[in-house]
Amino acid sequence: MASDASIQFFSNETEDRILKSDTVIRHLQSLETRADNGGFSESEFSALCKVLVQKAMPAQISRRFISCMVPRQQVQGSDLADISMWALGYSENSEKYVSLPVLRVVFFCLDYDLVTDRRPIKNLYEMFLTKMSNSTFCETIAGILIKVTTNADIDSRRVSVIRKCCDLQGQNYNLNNLRWRCRQLRPDLDPSCPPPSTRQSTCTSTLSKRYLKIYEVGIENLMSGLCWEPGQLAGKIIYKERLKTSVLPTVESLNLESGLASKKNKKVPLQVFERDEDVYVDLESIQLPNNLLSVLPSRVAGNILPRKELVERFSLVLFHTLQKEFFLLPRARTKAEENRRMKRQSRFLQILRDFQIHCYHGIPVVGRFLSEFLDSWDGKTYFQEVLGSLKIIQITEFKELYDTVLAPVERWFHSFTLLEKLLVLDAYFELFRYWSVAELSRVKEMKFGLFPDSSNNCECSLSSAIDLIAHIEEITLSTLSSAREGQKDHRLLFTHFITNLYVNTQELLVRFKVPIRLQLPQPLVHENLFSSCSVGVSKVCKYVLSQKKCVLPMVKERAAYFELSGDEKYAKVIRTQLGSDQLKPLEAITRDVLLVLSPSAVSQREDSLLQLGWEINEETVLNSFFVSKHPAFLPFVIDYFKNLQSQESRKIYEGLTCDRVYCDGTLKGMFSEAPPNRMSSSAFYKGRFNTTISNPELTSFLNFLGESHLNVREFLQLFCYPPKPTMSISSQCTEITESSGVSSMLPKQTSKKVGKKLKENETRRHSPRFDVKRKGMKRSTEDQNMYNTKRNKF
């Protein structure tokens, strides 16, 4: 940037004295352009301070250079202390054109909360008091001292000096306010001080306009040490509603004690602290602001408010502020007043949202305000702020939540853009996560939060959370339908976004052992399954694996836990999620995924995608729906066959589907909790199909895909490959069939070693009871063979 080169020019390429020249003027113009359009960073402002102190320049150049010293973020107090000492200590400086503008830079930085550490400036308190008798500096220095004066800085001598300056200078706004400030902190030292009556003079200099522009544009950067809002640390109060730029009051604290009690008062005002650690040392010794609502943006508000009387006081002030600001103000007269009001109200709602998220606890007053505000909402005003407040609401009955909050929002759902619909869906998921992680445990364990509990009318908190996620599924389908119609080119992006919401939320529930199972909507699964990106297929596989391995076992375990604890009602609500009807959609989407990924058995049900009015024969399913012909996996197929000859690769490619067979898929429930019904042995052998893979090239191809798609590989291992036997083959067969009357049954394919060993021991069969008792030891005498009768064996 040109301004960076100008700073480099003044810092390194000039001598100890800067003279007026065309080059200097050109670089000054570059700095002025930067000051008018955003200001300088902390390091750049520090470099400008060093140039001002170390290099001499004419008064006119100095004045233009100082007017460019406008930071856009907080600066170090040590830099301001250095230029203050240089301005007041260097005798050759012009008081009007050099020293006074420098002091105004310090004043504006303090006034707009652009200083990280004010202690270096407080260390110059005596120097400022000495120079305050100068009429040129008096008002500016008084304004600086107002910003840094605390109870510990006031004594009788300093109050006497300030009183003499007031008598000498006459009516002066900042000087009168400085004296009144001392009267507020130590009323015993100047009891006869009158309140300030003069108005502040309007400053129209170029420097003040640049600082005001920074304040209006970059409000997020103008935070003090404890994150006070701009203007909260200022001594001036704006009483006219049409001129207010912030809803929050100042952090002024008045000492209402007098005499000896005032001298013994050791409490420190909250606005004095710059770091959180200093506040946490002794919270009881802090003097709170007059208006407790002013602590709302502070990072230590959650540590100050836990006392019951403070919470009630805070909630009462917050309620009246919201009512006054959003419902009782008269209509704005001018466009500027309307814009100013919209800006301060929007900022206030953002602060409320951030405070609730920081405390992770909903404020009942805000929930009541939200229901009243949404009753006449137009669907556009404060859209982001409304969704932010919706994310943190204390748990209640779902019907009450829907009637008061969700229904007014969804009244405008059809007019939202697709991006706005996704933002609404994200806010709903955030509310569900808050209910699941924080509110369910709080209500179940009857814990107390920071603010009063407003969920007394909620009979079953778990049912409310389950009803909410069911409603979210309906909104998901509506959003997905809008993406299909209006955003065909970007539909994949929205599909991934919604899928991530479901997958990540389910992982969070498993992490905190919340017994709620999220059902991924079947249309969303189909969007991922038949998309042009393999990531969607991998995410669906991850979801199914999580349901099989983590979610269902966790839900069953929590249901058993509550049953043993005696909470039958809670356990019954959990068990309703494990019924066969509730698990049918999960099994349907799993079988749809197997249509694409299974190398062996392929099955469908009546709720499968291919059964919904499609006429697709079995041959097409077996040959055309395999992963090797899926467009999403085409790059990996090409990569696998790139080193093979064309004829060989064509032969291998055509044989990848040779092991795929079609079955009805009614033999076994994949996720059902109840055991399958027993069937006759004839029906078992008739409907049995082979799940092994006979083609080694197919195994190699699937292993190659699994290297880059771990979820797909794990899915195939779990649902497609035959599991490792945990009992004998005969036991596995008789587990689901009726007894055939034969006690032993050798498999058709038996290894030679095992067959030879069985043949040798054919004449040495012995009682199973003896085996159990002696742990399989053989009899050593031939006389004992007479007891090995067929009756004893069976």
Side-chain angles (χ1 to χ4, degrees):
M1 295 176 62
S3 58
D4 296 336
S6 300
I7 296 175
Q8 187 74 15
F9 169 79
F10 284 109
S11 300
N12 301 328
E13 298 182 10
T14 55
E15 302 294 335
D16 294 340
R17 184 175 182 84
I18 300 176
L19 301 176
K20 184 177 180 180
S21 64
D22 294 338
T23 304
V24 172
I25 296 299
R26 187 172 65 254
H27 285 291
L28 273 178
Q29 292 175 350
S30 177
L31 294 181
E32 289 173 342
T33 302
R34 178 71 176 276
D36 289 329
N37 296 276
F40 298 92
S41 64
E42 178 186 355
S43 58
E44 293 171 340
F45 183 83
S46 180
L48 294 178
C49 292
K50 291 179 181 179
V51 171
L52 181 65
V53 173
Q54 296 174 0
K55 299 189 178 184
M57 57 186 78
Q60 294 180 346
I61 300 296
S62 297
R63 186 178 183 182
R64 292 184 62 180
F65 186 86
I66 294 169
S67 64
C68 297
M69 299 175 65
V70 181
R72 68 168 181 268
Q73 53 188 215
Q74 290 179 323
V75 297
Q76 296 293 331
S78 56
D79 293 332
L80 298 179
D82 291 340
I83 62 176
S84 299
M85 289 189 294
W86 174 81
L88 298 177
Y90 193 53
S91 58
E92 295 184 3
N93 288 335
S94 172
E95 292 184 354
K96 185 176 181 181
Y97 297 106
V98 177
S99 298
L100 182 59
V102 170
L103 294 177
R104 285 178 176 171
V105 168
V106 178
F107 170 74
F108 285 131
C109 288
L110 291 171
D111 191 34
Y112 291 107
D113 303 337
L114 286 168
V115 185
T116 56
D117 187 6
R118 304 189 179 198
R119 286 176 292 183
I121 303 176
K122 290 181 63 176
N123 295 335
L124 304 179
Y125 207 98
E126 286 296 328
M127 184 189 72
F128 287 130
L129 277 179
T130 304
K131 296 294 183 178
M132 199 165 57
S133 58
N134 189 325
S135 59
T136 304
F137 305 144
C138 180
E139 185 171 4
T140 305
I141 290 178
I144 294 174
L145 293 181
I146 290 175
K147 308 299 179 182
V148 299
T149 299
T150 61
N151 195 7
D153 300 319
I154 301 175
D155 53 28
S156 58
R157 183 186 62 82
R158 290 181 175 178
V159 172
S160 177
V161 172
I162 295 173
R163 190 187 306 116
K164 290 180 181 179
C165 290
C166 288
D167 297 338
L168 181 64
Q169 299 296 336
Q171 296 295 329
N172 187 302
Y173 177 81
N174 286 336
L175 192 56
N176 292 341
N177 275 277
L178 177 61
R179 185 181 177 185
W180 180 251
R181 172 73 173 166
C182 296
R183 167 67 175 80
Q184 289 178 325
L185 297 176
R186 292 290 300 275
D188 58 304
L189 297 180
D190 193 4
S192 61
C193 174
S197 57
T198 58
R199 294 185 178 182
Q200 184 181 15
S201 58
T202 305
C203 189
T204 58
S205 63
T206 303
L207 188 64
S208 64
K209 292 179 180 179
R210 288 172 176 170
Y211 272 91
L212 182 60
K213 186 176 181 180
I214 291 293
Y215 168 77
E216 293 177 346
V217 175
I219 191 171
E220 65 277 0
N221 296 324
L222 304 181
M223 300 295 179
S224 62
L226 297 182
C227 287
W228 300 113
E229 285 293 298
Q232 279 196 281
L233 297 180
K236 57 185 178 182
I237 301 176
I238 301 176
Y239 294 99
K240 294 183 178 181
E241 296 292 340
R242 60 185 180 84
L243 299 178
K244 281 186 176 181
T245 57
S246 176
V247 179
L248 293 170
T250 61
V251 295
E252 290 293 321
S253 56
L254 297 180
N255 185 4
L256 302 179
E257 299 175 345
S258 61
L260 294 176
S262 177
K263 293 181 180 180
K264 295 180 180 179
N265 184 14
K266 301 299 181 181
K267 290 188 175 182
V268 182
L270 183 60
Q271 65 267 25
V272 175
F273 296 96
E274 293 287 342
R275 299 182 304 169
D276 302 357
E277 295 80 5
D278 299 336
V279 179
Y280 299 147
V281 172
D282 191 2
L283 288 172
E284 297 298 329
S285 64
I286 296 176
Q287 185 175 359
L288 298 178
N290 304 328
N291 194 329
L292 197 57
L293 187 63
S294 61
V295 304
L296 186 62
S298 174
R299 291 198 299 264
V300 297
N303 303 92
I304 294 175
L305 293 176
R307 287 185 293 180
K308 181 179 179 181
E309 61 274 11
L310 292 183
V311 170
E312 294 176 354
R313 174 180 159 195
F314 175 83
S315 300
L316 186 62
V317 176
L318 178 59
F319 171 76
H320 287 287
T321 302
L322 289 171
Q323 291 291 322
K324 174 186 175 182
E325 189 68 28
F326 290 90
F327 301 118
L328 302 179
L329 287 180
R331 187 174 181 179
R333 299 179 180 179
T334 62
K335 190 68 175 179
E337 180 183 352
E338 183 180 357
N339 293 337
R340 195 181 298 115
R341 179 183 299 179
M342 293 277 291
K343 186 175 181 180
R344 72 168 184 257
Q345 291 178 353
S346 174
R347 181 59 185 166
F348 185 66
L349 292 178
Q350 293 174 12
I351 295 172
L352 272 178
R353 175 202 61 195
D354 296 340
F355 174 73
Q356 292 183 101
I357 293 176
H358 175 71
C359 299
Y360 213 58
H361 190 66
I363 305 177
V365 171
V366 179
R368 175 178 175 178
F369 157 76
L370 190 62
S371 61
E372 294 178 2
F373 180 77
L374 291 177
D375 191 37
S376 57
W377 188 47
D378 60 356
K380 298 179 180 179
T381 307
Y382 308 128
F383 178 79
Q384 295 281 359
E385 291 76 13
V386 166
L387 295 184
S389 301
L390 187 148
K391 296 177 181 179
I392 307 292
I393 299 178
Q394 291 191 18
I395 195 168
T396 183
E397 289 291 336
F398 174 74
K399 186 178 186 306
E400 179 182 357
L401 175 72
Y402 179 79
D403 293 339
T404 58
V405 178
L406 302 187
V409 173
E410 295 169 13
R411 186 192 312 153
W412 306 96
F413 197 78
H414 66 282
S415 62
F416 292 159
T417 63
L418 185 57
L419 180 59
E420 291 173 340
K421 291 180 179 180
L422 290 177
L423 292 176
V424 172
L425 190 61
D426 179 67
Y428 283 10
F429 266 99
E430 193 70 30
L431 175 62
F432 172 74
R433 287 192 286 265
Y434 169 66
W435 278 17
S436 303
V437 175
E439 290 292 286
L440 286 182
S441 60
R442 181 184 66 83
V443 175
K444 186 65 179 176
E445 301 173 11
M446 292 184 291
K447 296 179 180 179
F448 294 99
L450 179 60
F451 294 96
D453 185 11
S454 62
S455 56
N456 296 327
N457 62 334
C458 185
E459 296 182 359
C460 183
S461 56
L462 184 61
S463 298
S464 298
I466 294 176
D467 292 340
L468 175 60
I469 194 60
H471 181 72
I472 291 176
E473 183 178 354
E474 298 176 2
I475 301 300
T476 300
L477 296 178
S478 176
T479 306
L480 185 61
S481 177
S482 300
R484 287 174 173 174
E485 295 176 359
Q487 297 287 340
K488 295 183 179 180
D489 297 336
H490 306 285
R491 188 172 65 186
L492 185 62
L493 175 64
F494 303 123
T495 302
H496 288 339
F497 176 80
I498 300 175
T499 306
N500 287 335
L501 288 178
Y502 272 93
V503 174
N504 296 337
T505 303
Q506 186 67 83
E507 291 179 352
L508 183 69
L509 298 181
V510 174
R511 169 67 178 81
F512 288 92
K513 294 185 177 180
V514 180
I516 298 179
R517 190 185 71 83
L518 303 187
Q519 177 59 51
L520 199 64
Q522 197 169 1
L524 185 61
V525 174
H526 297 153
E527 285 291 333
N528 285 286
L529 191 59
F530 298 103
S531 66
S532 59
C533 180
S534 60
V535 177
V537 181
S538 181
K539 287 180 180 179
V540 174
C541 292
K542 181 180 180 181
Y543 165 79
V544 176
L545 289 170
S546 175
Q547 294 288 316
K548 180 72 173 179
K549 292 186 174 182
C550 302
V551 179
L552 292 177
M554 183 270 295
V555 173
K556 295 175 184 178
E557 186 270 331
R558 298 305 292 171
Y561 170 79
F562 285 109
E563 284 179 353
L564 293 176
S565 302
D567 195 344
E568 295 291 341
K569 182 178 180 181
Y570 215 74
K572 183 178 180 181
V573 175
I574 299 175
R575 286 290 184 186
T576 56
Q577 306 176 79
L578 302 175
S580 58
D581 293 337
Q582 283 70 28
L583 294 178
K584 277 184 179 179
L586 177 59
E587 185 165 348
I589 65 174
T590 305
R591 294 186 183 276
D592 285 343
V593 176
L594 288 173
L595 289 177
V596 176
L597 298 182
S598 176
S600 54
V602 176
S603 61
Q604 301 179 59
R605 283 195 170 185
E606 63 276 1
D607 49 0
S608 174
L609 173 66
L610 302 182
Q611 301 291 338
L612 302 178
W614 298 66
E615 296 182 0
I616 301 179
N617 54 31
E618 299 178 5
E619 191 67 24
T620 303
V621 174
L622 295 178
N623 296 329
S624 302
F625 277 72
F626 191 48
V627 63
S628 61
K629 300 182 180 181
H630 198 295
F633 294 92
L634 180 60
F636 303 96
V637 176
I638 295 175
D639 191 25
Y640 179 76
F641 288 102
K642 66 180 180 180
N643 296 326
L644 299 178
Q645 297 181 358
S646 59
Q647 294 181 355
E648 182 182 3
S649 60
R650 185 182 297 106
K651 182 179 179 181
I652 295 174
Y653 180 76
E654 292 175 354
L656 292 179
T657 60
C658 64
D659 288 330
R660 283 168 62 88
V661 295
Y662 195 86
C663 61
D664 57 3
T666 59
L667 298 177
K668 182 181 179 182
M670 295 180 176
F671 304 95
S672 179
E673 185 181 29
N677 297 327
R678 289 183 175 271
M679 63 185 71
S680 63
S681 57
S682 59
F684 172 78
Y685 292 113
K686 181 180 180 180
R688 193 177 183 186
F689 53 87
N690 186 18
T691 59
T692 59
I693 300 176
S694 62
N695 187 358
E697 293 294 341
L698 177 58
T699 304
S700 175
F701 174 73
L702 294 178
N703 292 336
F704 177 78
L705 289 182
E707 293 177 358
S708 55
H709 299 79
L710 300 180
N711 294 322
V712 173
R713 180 175 65 183
E714 191 173 356
F715 181 88
L716 291 173
Q717 292 174 352
L718 182 62
F719 291 100
C720 298
Y721 298 159
K724 296 181 180 180
T726 57
M727 57 183 73
S728 65
I729 298 177
S730 59
S731 299
Q732 294 181 58
C733 294
T734 57
E735 184 72 15
I736 60 174
T737 60
E738 299 175 355
S739 176
S740 61
V742 181
S743 61
S744 61
M745 179 170 29
L746 289 176
K748 294 181 180 181
Q749 297 179 355
T750 307
S751 63
K752 294 182 180 181
K753 187 175 180 180
V754 176
K756 184 178 180 181
K757 190 173 182 180
L758 291 173
K759 187 175 182 179
E760 292 176 356
N761 297 333
E762 202 172 33
T763 61
R764 302 174 58 187
R765 295 177 179 171
H766 39 273
S767 173
R769 290 180 294 176
F770 181 83
D771 290 345
V772 174
K773 185 176 180 181
R774 297 294 185 88
K775 299 181 180 179
M777 295 179 60
K778 300 178 181 179
R779 297 179 183 269
S780 58
T781 62
E782 296 181 359
D783 296 337
Q784 294 172 342
N785 290 336
M786 59 183 297
Y787 296 103
N788 295 334
T789 62
K790 185 174 182 180
R791 179 183 179 85
N792 289 341
K793 178 184 177 187
F794 292 104

